[in-house]
Amino acid sequence: MTTSTNQPVVAVHPVQEITTTTDSREILANARRDTEQFGLDKTLVVDVDAHHVELDSWPEVIAAIDDPVLRDYGEQIMKNWPQAHHLALSPHMPGLTFQDVAGRVPHQASLAEHVPPGEFHRDVTLVQRAMDSMAIDYQVVFPQPMLEIGLHPNPEFATALMTAYNKWFTNTILGKDPRIKTMLGLPFENPDASLDMIRAYHDHPDVIGFLVTSQRHIGVHQNQYIPVYAELERLGLPIGFHAGPTWGDTMTSTMNRFTGVHAMSFVTCNMTHLTNWLLNGIPVRFPNLKTIWIESGLAWLPFMMQRLDHEYILRTSDAPLLEKLPSQYMRDMFYTSQPLEVTDFDLLQSTFKAIDAENTLMYSSDWPHWDFDLPGRIMRLPFVSEQGKRNILGETARKVFGPKLARPVSA
């Protein structure tokens, strides 16, 4: 369209563009309707999987590295290569961050919205904005690019970075708002360092468990990790396996679309670890260790139940420690809801029944990722009982994480 003077008319977009600088409260403005419609402000809501963007604060993390030589390496990289200022020593591959393109909400790439100077670190304010907007009582916050740490080419660097990050996070972010919790990532490349990490932070009031960044090539059943699981069971703290994407594994490297990588690699890493976990009898050896499978959706679980049961029945000698079918152990584990596959409610309902979701599923938003889910997603499920919805939104998390989530902060 042109005017009579042949000058083009500038189109006015009816919807404001969302960028990395858009205020979280604007993006989440519609969440208030769910709060009012479903009374979420009167319901315990625990978000078991949310993120912040630690690369925005990466120089602070590098400064927390204990090893002076490795710390100096990182500082020199930041000084001499400004383009790597927020990536020094990290395995993160910015040239392949397809989650932030193709018309999707790019907010997760960098939480660059304006935060006025205040008493606490800006990440505290950003987490508070998300919690307040979604009527969340507690939010379990994880790093984001650090979830790729298991693919680091240098295990020594990976251990040092995870240790430094945990020190920075507990000193800088935790303890400023009692609603902010975390499951600290374990430096899983080093079992001894993992054990030290548990012993150093297990009694922190806002550390409610420990995490394996599960996109990695290590067998979680190996004997070197048995002391780690034993210590977690002794302390009554859960272990979580947080999935993630990679284009570098044997199978995903054949894919030419990120959609395929995203669909498959988030699932296959947890499928692999769960298979080793079950067939090597870890649930039998540690019956009181609560296990959580995070950010891998739910659609894969009925398949795994049926497939592993079928194979186990044919070759029980391969899993001599098991005392019941693999699917029965899976019903004793816990899962997070995001991303909740909702394209076929009949299939989803069958999945809920298979895993006893009303007693094993815990709500997660995955904020600020482009495919995040609001608490209203759970409230709109027509086949879940009212008590089941309350369980998924918060009551099951309270049972899993224990006294550190004793009651809603707002109560």
Coordinates of all heavy atoms in Angstrom, one line a residue, residues 84-132:
A84 N 34.0 -13.3 23.5 CA 33.8 -14.5 24.4 C 33.7 -14.1 25.9 O 33.9 -14.9 26.8 CB 35.0 -15.5 24.2
H85 N 33.4 -12.8 26.1 CA 33.3 -12.3 27.5 C 32.4 -13.1 28.3 O 32.7 -13.3 29.5 CB 32.9 -10.8 27.4 CG 33.0 -10.2 28.8 ND1 32.0 -9.8 29.5 CD2 34.2 -9.8 29.4 CE1 32.4 -9.2 30.7 NE2 33.7 -9.2 30.6
H86 N 31.2 -13.6 27.8 CA 30.3 -14.3 28.6 C 30.3 -15.8 28.3 O 29.3 -16.5 28.5 CB 28.9 -13.8 28.3 CG 28.7 -12.3 28.8 ND1 28.6 -12.0 30.2 CD2 28.7 -11.2 28.2 CE1 28.5 -10.7 30.3 NE2 28.5 -10.2 29.1
L87 N 31.4 -16.3 27.7 CA 31.5 -17.7 27.3 C 32.8 -18.3 27.7 O 33.0 -19.5 27.5 CB 31.3 -17.9 25.8 CG 30.0 -17.5 25.2 CD1 30.1 -17.4 23.7 CD2 28.9 -18.4 25.6
A88 N 33.7 -17.6 28.4 CA 35.0 -18.1 28.7 C 35.0 -19.5 29.4 O 34.3 -19.6 30.4 CB 35.8 -17.1 29.5
L89 N 35.7 -20.4 28.9 CA 35.8 -21.8 29.4 C 34.5 -22.6 29.3 O 34.5 -23.8 29.6 CB 36.2 -21.8 30.9 CG 37.5 -21.0 31.2 CD1 37.8 -21.1 32.7 CD2 38.7 -21.6 30.5
S90 N 33.4 -22.0 28.8 CA 32.2 -22.7 28.7 C 32.1 -23.5 27.4 O 32.7 -23.1 26.4 CB 31.0 -21.7 28.7 OG 29.8 -22.3 28.3
P91 N 31.4 -24.7 27.4 CA 31.2 -25.5 26.2 C 30.0 -25.0 25.4 O 29.7 -25.5 24.3 CB 30.9 -26.9 26.7 CG 30.2 -26.6 28.0 CD 30.8 -25.4 28.6
H92 N 29.4 -23.9 25.8 CA 28.2 -23.4 25.1 C 28.5 -23.0 23.7 O 29.6 -22.3 23.5 CB 27.6 -22.2 25.9 CG 26.3 -21.7 25.3 ND1 25.2 -22.5 25.2 CD2 26.0 -20.4 24.8 CE1 24.2 -21.7 24.6 NE2 24.7 -20.5 24.4
M93 N 27.7 -23.3 22.7 CA 28.0 -23.0 21.3 C 26.9 -22.0 20.8 O 25.9 -22.4 20.3 CB 27.9 -24.3 20.5 CG 28.9 -25.4 21.0 SD 28.8 -27.0 20.1 CE 29.4 -26.5 18.5
P94 N 27.3 -20.7 20.9 CA 26.3 -19.7 20.5 C 25.8 -19.8 19.0 O 24.8 -19.3 18.7 CB 27.0 -18.4 20.8 CG 28.4 -18.7 20.8 CD 28.5 -20.1 21.3
G95 N 26.7 -20.3 18.2 CA 26.3 -20.4 16.8 C 25.2 -21.4 16.5 O 24.7 -21.4 15.4
L96 N 24.9 -22.2 17.5 CA 23.8 -23.2 17.3 C 22.7 -23.1 18.3 O 22.0 -24.1 18.6 CB 24.5 -24.6 17.5 CG 25.5 -25.0 16.4 CD1 26.1 -26.4 16.7 CD2 24.9 -25.0 15.0
T97 N 22.4 -21.9 18.7 CA 21.3 -21.6 19.7 C 20.0 -21.4 18.9 O 19.4 -20.4 18.9 CB 21.6 -20.4 20.6 OG1 22.0 -19.3 19.7 CG2 22.7 -20.7 21.5
F98 N 19.5 -22.5 18.3 CA 18.3 -22.4 17.5 C 17.1 -22.3 18.3 O 16.0 -22.0 17.8 CB 18.2 -23.7 16.6 CG 19.1 -23.7 15.4 CD1 20.4 -24.2 15.5 CD2 18.7 -23.3 14.2 CE1 21.3 -24.1 14.4 CE2 19.5 -23.2 13.1 CZ 20.8 -23.7 13.2
Q99 N 17.1 -22.5 19.6 CA 16.0 -22.3 20.4 C 15.5 -20.8 20.4 O 14.3 -20.5 20.7 CB 16.2 -22.7 21.9 CG 16.5 -24.2 22.1 CD 16.1 -24.6 23.4 OE1 14.9 -24.9 23.8 NE2 17.1 -24.8 24.3
D100 N 16.4 -19.9 20.0 CA 16.1 -18.5 20.1 C 15.7 -17.9 18.8 O 15.7 -16.6 18.6 CB 17.3 -17.8 20.7 CG 17.7 -18.3 22.1 OD1 16.8 -18.7 22.8 OD2 18.9 -18.5 22.3
V101 N 15.4 -18.7 17.8 CA 15.2 -18.1 16.4 C 13.9 -18.8 15.9 O 13.2 -19.5 16.6 CB 16.3 -18.4 15.5 CG1 17.6 -17.7 15.9 CG2 16.6 -19.9 15.3
A102 N 13.6 -18.5 14.6 CA 12.5 -19.1 13.9 C 11.1 -18.7 14.5 O 10.2 -19.5 14.6 CB 12.6 -20.6 13.8
G103 N 11.0 -17.4 14.8 CA 9.7 -16.9 15.3 C 9.4 -17.2 16.7 O 8.3 -16.8 17.2
R104 N 10.3 -17.8 17.5 CA 10.0 -18.1 18.9 C 10.4 -17.0 19.8 O 11.1 -16.1 19.4 CB 10.8 -19.4 19.3 CG 10.5 -20.6 18.4 CD 9.0 -21.0 18.4 NE 8.7 -22.1 17.6 CZ 7.4 -22.6 17.4 NH1 6.4 -22.0 18.0 NH2 7.2 -23.6 16.6
V105 N 9.8 -17.0 21.0 CA 10.1 -16.0 22.0 C 11.6 -16.1 22.3 O 12.1 -17.1 22.8 CB 9.3 -16.2 23.2 CG1 9.6 -15.2 24.3 CG2 7.8 -16.1 22.9
P106 N 12.3 -15.0 22.1 CA 13.8 -15.0 22.3 C 14.2 -14.6 23.7 O 15.4 -14.4 23.9 CB 14.3 -14.0 21.2 CG 13.2 -13.0 21.2 CD 11.9 -13.7 21.4
H107 N 13.3 -14.5 24.6 CA 13.5 -14.0 25.9 C 14.6 -14.7 26.6 O 15.4 -14.2 27.4 CB 12.2 -13.9 26.7 CG 12.3 -13.1 28.0 ND1 12.5 -11.8 28.0 CD2 12.1 -13.5 29.3 CE1 12.5 -11.3 29.2 NE2 12.3 -12.3 30.0
Q108 N 14.7 -16.0 26.4 CA 15.6 -16.9 27.1 C 17.1 -16.6 26.7 O 18.0 -17.0 27.5 CB 15.3 -18.3 26.9 CG 15.6 -18.8 25.5 CD 15.3 -20.3 25.4 OE1 14.3 -20.8 25.9 NE2 16.2 -21.0 24.6
A109 N 17.3 -16.0 25.6 CA 18.7 -15.8 25.1 C 19.5 -15.0 26.1 O 20.7 -15.2 26.4 CB 18.7 -15.2 23.7
S110 N 18.8 -14.0 26.6 CA 19.4 -13.1 27.6 C 18.3 -12.3 28.3 O 17.5 -11.8 27.7 CB 20.4 -12.1 27.0 OG 20.9 -11.1 27.9
L111 N 18.3 -12.4 29.6 CA 17.2 -11.7 30.4 C 17.8 -10.2 30.5 O 18.2 -9.8 31.6 CB 17.0 -12.3 31.7 CG 16.4 -13.8 31.6 CD1 16.1 -14.3 33.0 CD2 15.2 -13.9 30.7
A112 N 17.7 -9.5 29.4 CA 18.3 -8.1 29.4 C 17.3 -7.0 29.8 O 17.6 -5.9 29.5 CB 18.8 -7.9 28.0
E113 N 16.1 -7.4 30.3 CA 15.2 -6.4 30.7 C 15.7 -5.5 31.8 O 16.7 -5.8 32.5 CB 13.9 -7.0 31.2 CG 14.1 -7.9 32.4 CD 12.8 -8.8 32.7 OE1 12.7 -9.8 32.1 OE2 12.0 -8.3 33.6
H114 N 15.1 -4.3 31.9 CA 15.7 -3.3 32.8 C 15.4 -3.7 34.3 O 14.2 -4.1 34.6 CB 15.0 -1.9 32.6 CG 15.4 -0.9 33.6 ND1 16.7 -0.5 33.8 CD2 14.7 -0.3 34.6 CE1 16.7 0.4 34.7 NE2 15.5 0.5 35.2
V115 N 16.4 -3.7 35.1 CA 16.2 -4.0 36.5 C 17.0 -2.9 37.2 O 18.2 -2.8 37.1 CB 16.8 -5.4 36.9 CG1 16.7 -5.6 38.4 CG2 16.1 -6.5 36.2
P116 N 16.3 -2.0 38.0 CA 16.9 -0.9 38.6 C 17.9 -1.4 39.7 O 17.7 -2.5 40.3 CB 15.8 -0.1 39.3 CG 14.7 -1.1 39.4 CD 14.8 -2.0 38.2
P117 N 18.9 -0.7 40.0 CA 19.8 -1.1 41.1 C 19.1 -1.3 42.4 O 18.2 -0.6 42.7 CB 20.8 0.0 41.2 CG 20.8 0.7 39.9 CD 19.3 0.5 39.4
G118 N 19.4 -2.4 43.1 CA 18.8 -2.6 44.4 C 19.7 -3.3 45.4 O 20.9 -3.5 45.2
E119 N 19.0 -3.8 46.4 CA 19.8 -4.5 47.5 C 20.4 -5.8 47.0 O 21.5 -6.2 47.5 CB 18.9 -4.7 48.7 CG 19.5 -5.4 49.9 CD 18.5 -5.6 51.0 OE1 17.3 -5.3 50.9 OE2 19.0 -6.1 52.1
F120 N 19.7 -6.5 46.1 CA 20.1 -7.9 45.7 C 20.5 -7.9 44.3 O 20.3 -7.0 43.5 CB 19.0 -8.9 46.0 CG 18.5 -8.9 47.4 CD1 17.2 -8.8 47.7 CD2 19.4 -9.0 48.5 CE1 16.7 -8.9 49.0 CE2 19.0 -9.0 49.8 CZ 17.6 -9.0 50.1
H121 N 21.2 -9.0 43.9 CA 21.5 -9.2 42.5 C 20.3 -9.2 41.6 O 19.2 -9.6 42.0 CB 22.2 -10.6 42.4 CG 22.9 -10.9 41.1 ND1 22.2 -11.2 39.9 CD2 24.2 -10.8 40.7 CE1 23.1 -11.4 39.0 NE2 24.3 -11.2 39.4
R122 N 20.5 -8.7 40.4 CA 19.3 -8.5 39.5 C 18.6 -9.9 39.2 O 17.4 -9.9 39.0 CB 19.8 -7.9 38.1 CG 20.6 -8.8 37.3 CD 21.2 -8.1 36.1 NE 20.2 -7.4 35.3 CZ 19.5 -8.0 34.3 NH1 19.7 -9.3 34.0 NH2 18.6 -7.4 33.6
D123 N 19.3 -11.0 39.3 CA 18.6 -12.3 39.0 C 17.6 -12.6 40.1 O 16.6 -13.3 39.8 CB 19.7 -13.4 39.0 CG 20.4 -13.5 37.6 OD1 20.0 -12.7 36.8 OD2 21.2 -14.4 37.5
V124 N 17.8 -12.1 41.3 CA 16.8 -12.3 42.4 C 15.5 -11.5 42.0 O 14.4 -12.1 42.1 CB 17.3 -11.7 43.7 CG1 16.2 -11.8 44.8 CG2 18.6 -12.5 44.2
T125 N 15.7 -10.3 41.5 CA 14.5 -9.6 41.1 C 13.8 -10.2 39.9 O 12.6 -10.3 39.8 CB 14.9 -8.1 40.6 OG1 15.5 -7.5 41.8 CG2 13.7 -7.3 40.2
L126 N 14.6 -10.8 38.9 CA 14.0 -11.4 37.8 C 13.2 -12.7 38.2 O 12.1 -12.9 37.7 CB 15.1 -11.8 36.8 CG 15.7 -10.6 36.1 CD1 16.9 -11.1 35.3 CD2 14.8 -9.9 35.2
V127 N 13.7 -13.5 39.1 CA 13.0 -14.6 39.6 C 11.7 -14.2 40.3 O 10.6 -14.8 40.1 CB 13.9 -15.5 40.5 CG1 13.1 -16.6 41.1 CG2 15.0 -16.1 39.7
Q128 N 11.8 -13.2 41.1 CA 10.6 -12.7 41.8 C 9.5 -12.2 40.9 O 8.3 -12.4 41.1 CB 11.0 -11.5 42.8 CG 11.9 -12.0 43.9 CD 12.4 -10.8 44.7 OE1 12.7 -9.7 44.2 NE2 12.6 -11.0 46.0
R129 N 9.9 -11.5 39.8 CA 8.9 -11.1 38.8 C 8.2 -12.3 38.2 O 7.0 -12.2 38.0 CB 9.6 -10.3 37.7 CG 10.1 -8.9 38.1 CD 10.8 -8.2 36.9 NE 11.3 -6.9 37.3 CZ 12.0 -6.0 36.6 NH1 12.3 -6.4 35.3 NH2 12.3 -4.8 37.0
A130 N 8.9 -13.3 37.9 CA 8.2 -14.5 37.3 C 7.3 -15.2 38.3 O 6.2 -15.5 38.0 CB 9.3 -15.5 36.8
M131 N 7.8 -15.3 39.5 CA 7.0 -16.0 40.6 C 5.7 -15.2 40.9 O 4.6 -15.7 41.0 CB 7.8 -16.2 41.9 CG 8.9 -17.2 41.8 SD 9.5 -17.6 43.4 CE 10.3 -16.1 43.8
D132 N 5.9 -13.9 41.0 CA 4.7 -13.1 41.3 C 3.7 -13.1 40.2 O 2.5 -13.1 40.4 CB 5.1 -11.6 41.6 CG 6.0 -11.5 42.9 OD1 5.9 -12.4 43.7 OD2 6.7 -10.5 43.0

